[in-house]
Amino acid sequence: MPEVNIAGSKAAVVRRGDYQAPSYQVSEVALDVRLDPDNTEVHTRLQLHRIAPEPVAELHLDGESLELLGLQRDGQALAESAYRLTEGGLLLLNPPEAFILESRVRIHPRANTALSGLYHAGGQFLTQCEAEGFRRITYYLDRPDCLARFTVTLHAPQDSCPVLLANGNCMATGVEEGGWHWARWEDPYPKPAYLFAMVAGDLAVVRDRYRTASGREVALEIYVAERDTGACAQAMDSLKHAMRWDEEVYGREYDLNRYMIVATDSFNMGAMENKGLNIFNAKYVLASPETATDSDYQGIESVIAHEYFHNWTGNRVTLRDWFQLSLKEGLTVFRDQEFSADQNSRGVQRIGDVRRLRAAQFPEDAGPLAHPVRPDAYSEINNFYTATVYEKGAELVRMIHTLLGKVSFRKGMDLYFERHDGHAVTIEDFIAAMEDASQRDLSGFRRWYGQAGTPVVQATGSYDPARHSYTLTLHQETPATPGQPVKEAVPIPVRMALLNTQGQRVPLEVVGGASETVLLLEQSEQSWNFANLPGPVIPSLLRGFSAPVRLQDSLDNDAHGFLARHDDDPFNRWESMQDLAVKALLAAVADSSVAPLPVTLRNAVAATLADRQVDPAFCAELLTLPGEDYIGEQMSVVAVEAIHRARDGMKRAIGRHFAKEWTGLYHDLAAAYQRDGLSIGRRRLRNLALAYLIAGEGSSREGAILHARQQYIQADNMTDRLVAFQLLAQHRHHDAEDVILDFYQRWHEYPLVIDNWFAIQAAAPYPKTLRQVEHLLVHPAFDWRVPNRVRAVLGAFAANPTVFHAADGSGYTFFAEQIRRLDDINPQTAARLATPLSRWQRYDAPRQQAMVAALKILAAKPGLSRDLAEVIQRSHPE
């Protein structure tokens, strides 16, 4: 492949091994901010003191895109010989042991389309300081191990910004001349700058209260646009449930008297856990049955909980440096997953967690962007907010939880909080707390944190009828990843059971007669023998997906069909169903045919459809085919067209063969809208039935199209309406123009709903979609400055296998041109969206050449951002 040369300067590499504690600390920060969309002035007063044992010649304060207006030390103007402005900030020369530094700077919030630091969007002033945004507000020691108390005074016009918010407690307010007003906020808890927040704008507030376990009253406030005040119930309920859960499960109470959430459409991330003042993407706050799907409601529950749980895992105990990012994110994802499992179906939640891990993290581990959960180096920290840090990081915590058990894990968490409250710590500190509380050696998990790649576990087993015993052998191997050609064995907890021919778990003597155990695979290969068994058994391995590995077992289709019908572990029953489908699909891809419906899979589908005792949400999971991307991950070279043809054919076959059952389900599950767990599951299964009927052929399909049109028109909730819209808008045998126009006219005033309208059109699997996406990018409702809208179009397009990976390379060229444009507006979003191009090695030679050509288009861009440059360089480093 040709070399990709990146134009522009190369960002410095930050290495974990080079960490040094700061020579100075900041104890108190006072900010006085006069807000103006075009010219905001920030007056900062820092109390600094040296913690290094010896005087230092230079003290560097980070600063970016700041216009310095004035600088004083201990009340006197600082001589020009005492400081120097640099490309990365402000250098103080020969600073004294302790001093007060005052600075005045000017910044330009409206021009800040990167949405990092202080920016103005949608009529509001907002901040995003993680990871390194605070340096775009003022000069500071912008690093997570610098913890200080903040006092913030905000000034703004009262008519355009009646609401003025910052972290902590509001201490005073007042009115100024010229229609301005002010508010002063104090946060009593020391925090790193990345947790700083302020918001100003014309916002309405929804209020509630929560009484903690110790009896304190906490004011709960959600700030939204006036028209959205009726769409906050799910967010408020989720917040209260999360607060109660954290008290009951981890003994953690909220520590301030006020908890605030602000919703905005202009946000690069899902949400941000700023101390006491969380700023959220509106997608994870606003919901009503008319505008939000069941998935939206569940997403709100999860993200609200995630940000709240950060109050202890991330805020009260924070990070020594950004290499420890998973210490807060992976740990908190584990906590929010467990919360959601307790609120809903644990089995369905676990399947969803694994789906997301396999869709995003496994491909990341297998490509050029692979990196450990705790990387050794980075050029741009924004690029390490990845599925590896979040989802795989959560799986590492889950493995520790699995090995220690619920009681010992809780003791470890209690010890972790007791030791490190108010401190900036490392992953070693977390593991040490778990070891000391449980008296177990967890040193092997340090290899998990430092080693990239997804281990492959091969399982072989045999039953000896003469000895009534079963021998299981497990072998592990982790493929090479960039910079790590040789891998060590890692500790892998494998939860397992043995099922008899009736599908019942048999007692295991090695664990005192229990019918389930956890085997710890620590070496390259280990074997276990289970004696005195009553008869032949089938192993159920990696139950609950007890480790983030690829399991390759030696079971045949009959055994997987048996597990798909009888395994009492929800994840493994689903996994066996997926395995049957994947094997049939890969066989069809190999001979370029339409996938048949093998007898074993057909029987498993029939048994599932006939089982009225199965939770409908779980039933829908069992009956959903693996996606095209997941199928491609099982191949050495992704066969784009063959995969699509095979999966489409299997879906048609299931729709056709079980048309009677699908029709019955569709009618039997019809019900007025309710939002309990059972109703959500029934809606999901009913809509899956409609999808299979439309995928089928003949009269069943024609009838299903009529049902979809009727459902679209008559639906009393957005879940049913959006599914019907998607089926109609993406179906090749249906003229969708009328329903596309109707949907937009109905919902054009609701940005989150229209994001779905954009995304569904960009995801249509037909060649004409490329032209349609070109039209969407010039649609009056499209805005390059709104990340949600950009992701709705470009993100959906990049996830559309048949169009993005078009054989002529048109999808890659188009995509690169759009990312090139986006990089000038919002580098973070551009870099994250560009990652599909990094997988070029997985495709055939013509596609490889076209993807590398697209990377070259981006690499040659003048003024390429650090964010995007690093992604390109790591995608094709030669």
Side-chain angles (χ1 to χ4, degrees):
M1 285 296 122
E3 181 179 353
V4 176
N5 296 308
I6 298 179
S9 61
K10 223 176 182 181
V13 175
V14 181
R15 302 187 187 280
R16 182 163 60 91
D18 294 339
Y19 171 82
Q20 291 184 342
S23 56
Y24 278 74
Q25 275 285 4
V26 182
S27 56
E28 301 285 341
V29 181
L31 293 175
D32 192 274
V33 185
R34 193 164 184 85
L35 293 164
D36 178 271
D38 298 307
N39 295 290
T40 288
E41 291 194 9
V42 182
H43 183 184
T44 306
R45 187 175 187 270
L46 307 179
Q47 292 187 22
L48 296 107
H49 62 279
R50 193 181 76 234
I51 57 176
E54 301 293 335
V56 298
E58 298 176 344
L59 172 61
H60 181 263
L61 300 182
D62 299 295
E64 185 178 328
S65 302
L66 305 176
E67 180 185 349
L68 181 62
L69 302 177
L71 198 59
Q72 293 186 336
R73 187 172 69 196
D74 294 328
Q76 301 296 318
L78 198 60
E80 291 186 5
S81 60
Y83 72 93
R84 186 166 70 248
L85 292 178
T86 69
E87 184 179 350
L90 174 67
L91 203 61
L92 301 177
L93 307 178
N94 300 309
E97 182 174 353
F99 61 100
I100 294 174
L101 181 72
E102 293 184 74
S103 65
R104 287 192 305 112
V105 301
R106 181 180 292 125
I107 56 178
H108 312 288
R110 201 197 309 266
N112 182 7
T113 59
L115 311 186
S116 173
L118 174 66
Y119 60 96
H120 187 269
Q124 301 171 15
F125 291 92
L126 301 151
T127 55
Q128 174 55 35
C129 293
E130 188 178 353
E132 297 177 338
F134 192 71
R135 63 190 62 187
R136 298 171 66 107
I137 296 174
T138 189
Y139 294 106
Y140 195 70
L141 287 170
D142 191 6
R143 47 190 292 168
D145 58 354
C146 179
L147 279 67
R149 289 183 175 86
F150 281 68
T151 300
V152 183
T153 304
L154 302 177
H155 309 258
Q158 198 162 11
D159 57 350
S160 61
C161 295
V163 172
L164 302 175
L165 307 175
N167 309 84
N169 303 310
C170 187
M171 308 304 292
T173 61
V175 178
E176 299 177 343
E177 294 181 358
W180 283 54
H181 69 142
W182 60 270
R184 180 171 297 116
W185 293 77
E186 291 183 5
D187 186 349
Y189 292 97
K191 64 175 180 285
Y194 83 85
L195 292 173
F196 171 80
M198 55 185 174
V199 174
D202 189 0
L203 296 162
V205 60
V206 176
R207 302 181 191 274
D208 206 335
R209 302 195 70 79
Y210 177 81
R211 183 179 293 275
T212 69
S214 65
R216 289 190 307 106
E217 286 283 331
V218 179
L220 308 179
E221 300 172 352
I222 299 178
Y223 290 85
V224 295
E226 179 68 42
R227 71 173 188 187
D228 294 325
T229 54
C232 297
Q234 170 71 355
M236 189 67 81
D237 288 345
S238 298
L239 175 58
K240 290 187 287 186
H241 292 158
M243 296 176 82
R244 183 64 66 203
W245 186 87
D246 214 16
E247 291 174 346
E248 294 173 348
V249 177
Y250 287 101
R252 299 293 112 188
E253 278 194 10
Y254 184 60
D255 51 1
L256 291 171
N257 297 326
R258 190 172 187 171
Y259 190 91
M260 298 171 285
I261 291 172
V262 176
T264 176
D265 290 324
S266 300
F267 204 66
N268 282 334
M269 303 181 182
M272 179 59 206
E273 72 268 18
N274 315 297
K275 183 69 179 180
L277 177 58
N278 290 183
I279 300 178
F280 269 68
N281 189 317
K283 176 179 176 62
Y284 297 108
V285 174
L286 305 179
S288 68
E290 297 78 20
T291 61
T293 66
D294 293 332
S295 294
D296 292 331
Y297 273 94
Q298 291 167 339
I300 289 169
E301 179 180 73
S302 173
V303 177
I304 289 282
H306 181 95
E307 305 309 326
Y308 174 75
F309 296 151
H310 265 313
N311 188 62
W312 279 93
T313 48
N315 295 6
R316 287 285 290 260
V317 182
T318 194
L319 312 177
R320 188 196 73 174
D321 55 67
W322 288 117
F323 293 101
Q324 319 299 325
L325 181 58
S326 192
L327 180 59
K328 76 181 183 78
E329 295 302 349
L331 178 55
T332 305
V333 168
F334 168 76
R335 276 158 45 79
D336 83 54
Q337 289 175 350
E338 285 294 288
F339 166 76
S340 295
D342 284 345
Q343 306 303 306
N344 304 289
S345 163
R346 180 164 286 272
V348 172
Q349 174 67 32
R350 189 63 185 137
I351 291 167
D353 295 339
V354 177
R355 276 191 189 277
R356 287 184 287 273
L357 182 79
R358 287 175 172 173
Q361 199 282 318
F362 276 22
E364 191 169 86
D365 247 352
L369 300 184
H371 61 88
V373 171
R374 181 169 64 180
D376 292 323
Y378 63 80
S379 295
E380 175 50 67
I381 185 57
N382 289 325
N383 289 334
F384 280 94
Y385 284 76
T386 63
T388 296
V389 167
Y390 280 69
E391 277 72 26
K392 186 174 181 178
E395 295 300 317
L396 304 196
V397 176
R398 185 177 297 278
M399 286 191 290
I400 294 173
H401 184 277
T402 296
L403 286 175
L404 300 188
K406 192 173 185 179
V407 173
S408 291
F409 185 83
R410 166 65 190 272
K411 289 179 181 178
M413 289 298 293
D414 287 346
L415 183 59
Y416 175 66
F417 294 132
E418 178 185 335
R419 284 179 175 175
H420 303 299
D421 187 13
H423 299 133
V425 299
T426 66
I427 284 168
E428 282 79 8
D429 294 318
F430 173 74
I431 294 176
M434 289 294 163
E435 287 180 320
D436 293 346
S438 65
Q439 296 300 298
R440 290 196 61 165
D441 179 10
L442 300 174
S443 57
F445 279 90
R446 291 176 175 85
R447 294 196 294 276
W448 270 107
Y449 280 100
Q451 187 166 279
T454 304
V456 177
V457 174
Q458 294 178 325
T460 56
S462 61
Y463 175 73
D464 185 339
R467 298 186 179 184
H468 299 284
S469 67
Y470 182 84
T471 300
L472 174 68
T473 299
L474 299 178
H475 173 86
Q476 66 162 295
E477 185 174 356
T478 303
T481 58
Q484 292 185 335
V486 179
K487 305 291 184 176
E488 297 181 81
V490 290
I492 299 175
V494 178
R495 189 181 296 279
M496 60 86 64
L498 299 176
L499 306 186
N500 63 23
T501 54
Q502 286 75 48
Q504 300 166 330
R505 283 188 277 171
V506 301
L508 306 174
E509 281 191 355
V510 294
V511 286
S515 60
E516 184 181 72
T517 189
V518 176
L519 308 177
L520 185 59
L521 174 63
E522 298 181 276
Q523 302 168 18
S524 294
E525 184 171 295
Q526 291 171 244
S527 296
W528 292 264
N529 184 263
F530 303 91
N532 296 322
L533 300 175
V537 292
I538 295 177
S540 172
L541 302 177
L542 210 69
R543 291 164 69 84
F545 198 70
S546 57
V549 302
R550 298 181 188 269
L551 178 64
Q552 296 177 351
D553 61 43
S554 57
L555 301 180
D556 59 20
N557 278 356
D558 288 339
H560 276 293
F562 177 87
L563 293 173
R565 297 191 304 274
H566 298 294
D567 202 327
D568 65 344
D569 181 77
F571 174 81
N572 271 15
R573 185 174 174 186
W574 170 80
E575 182 80 311
S576 290
M577 198 77 143
Q578 294 282 294
D579 184 83
L580 291 172
V582 167
K583 286 179 179 176
L585 288 163
L586 290 177
V589 169
D591 61 15
S592 298
S593 65
V594 174
L597 188 56
V599 173
T600 310
L601 178 59
R602 186 172 70 235
N603 290 343
V605 171
T608 303
L609 287 169
D611 189 352
R612 291 292 183 260
Q613 302 303 312
V614 178
D615 168 31
F618 179 52
C619 184
E621 289 284 5
L622 289 173
L623 296 169
T624 299
L625 292 176
E628 293 180 36
D629 284 342
Y630 182 72
I631 300 164
E633 286 298 315
Q634 317 311 309
M635 305 178 66
S636 57
V637 177
V638 180
V640 176
E641 294 89 354
I643 290 172
H644 179 73
R645 181 169 57 250
R647 187 180 184 276
D648 198 47
M650 180 175 283
K651 192 171 183 180
R652 285 202 309 274
I654 293 175
R656 180 178 63 250
H657 188 86
F658 295 101
K660 181 179 179 181
E661 288 84 353
W662 294 126
T663 301
L665 275 177
Y666 183 75
H667 293 296
D668 293 345
L669 294 174
Y673 179 80
Q674 293 182 327
R675 207 170 48 78
D676 57 275
L678 179 60
S679 298
I680 291 171
R682 288 168 63 92
R683 269 192 298 279
R684 185 173 177 190
L685 184 55
R686 182 173 187 258
N687 284 320
L688 182 66
L690 182 60
Y692 272 117
L693 287 169
I694 285 184
E697 297 173 347
S699 60
S700 295
R701 183 178 66 197
E702 297 306 317
I705 290 176
L706 293 176
H707 289 320
R709 290 194 68 85
Q710 186 178 35
Q711 179 172 308
Y712 171 77
I713 295 168
Q714 298 179 355
D716 60 357
N717 63 90
M718 182 52 73
T719 301
D720 287 343
R721 192 185 304 277
L722 194 65
V723 167
F725 172 70
Q726 181 176 12
L727 292 172
L728 294 169
Q730 293 185 352
H731 201 279
R732 65 164 63 92
H733 299 290
H734 177 73
D735 183 2
E737 292 304 317
D738 61 333
V739 73
I740 290 173
L741 179 61
D742 179 80
F743 192 98
Y744 182 80
Q745 291 175 338
R746 285 175 184 245
W747 304 105
H748 67 276
E749 294 183 357
Y750 295 86
L752 296 177
V753 179
I754 294 302
D755 285 342
N756 290 322
W757 180 82
F758 276 98
I760 285 170
Q761 292 178 78
Y766 311 118
K768 68 177 183 180
T769 297
L770 177 57
R771 179 60 59 86
Q772 180 64 22
V773 170
E774 291 175 342
H775 292 321
L776 291 176
L777 291 178
V778 295
H779 190 280
F782 184 81
D783 190 339
W784 284 98
R785 297 166 299 177
V786 179
N788 282 357
R789 193 56 46 87
V790 173
R791 285 188 288 263
V793 178
L794 297 184
F797 178 80
N800 183 338
T802 56
V803 181
F804 181 69
H805 295 292
D808 63 359
S810 57
Y812 308 140
T813 302
F814 168 78
F815 185 70
E817 290 169 349
Q818 310 318 312
I819 296 299
R820 180 186 171 101
R821 176 176 180 178
L822 181 61
D823 190 49
D824 288 330
I825 301 168
N826 190 326
Q828 282 188 38
T829 300
R832 288 170 185 167
L833 283 173
T835 57
L837 291 172
S838 71
R839 306 301 313 284
W840 59 271
Q841 291 174 310
R842 298 297 318 285
Y843 295 88
D844 56 48
R847 286 185 170 90
Q848 286 190 15
Q849 293 172 359
M851 293 177 87
V852 169
L855 288 169
K856 292 179 70 175
I857 290 173
L858 294 174
K861 173 184 176 292
L864 188 67
S865 70
R866 290 189 313 176
D867 307 64
L868 188 54
E870 184 180 27
V871 170
I872 297 169
Q873 182 62 52
R874 292 174 63 213
S875 298
H876 197 284
E878 290 87 354

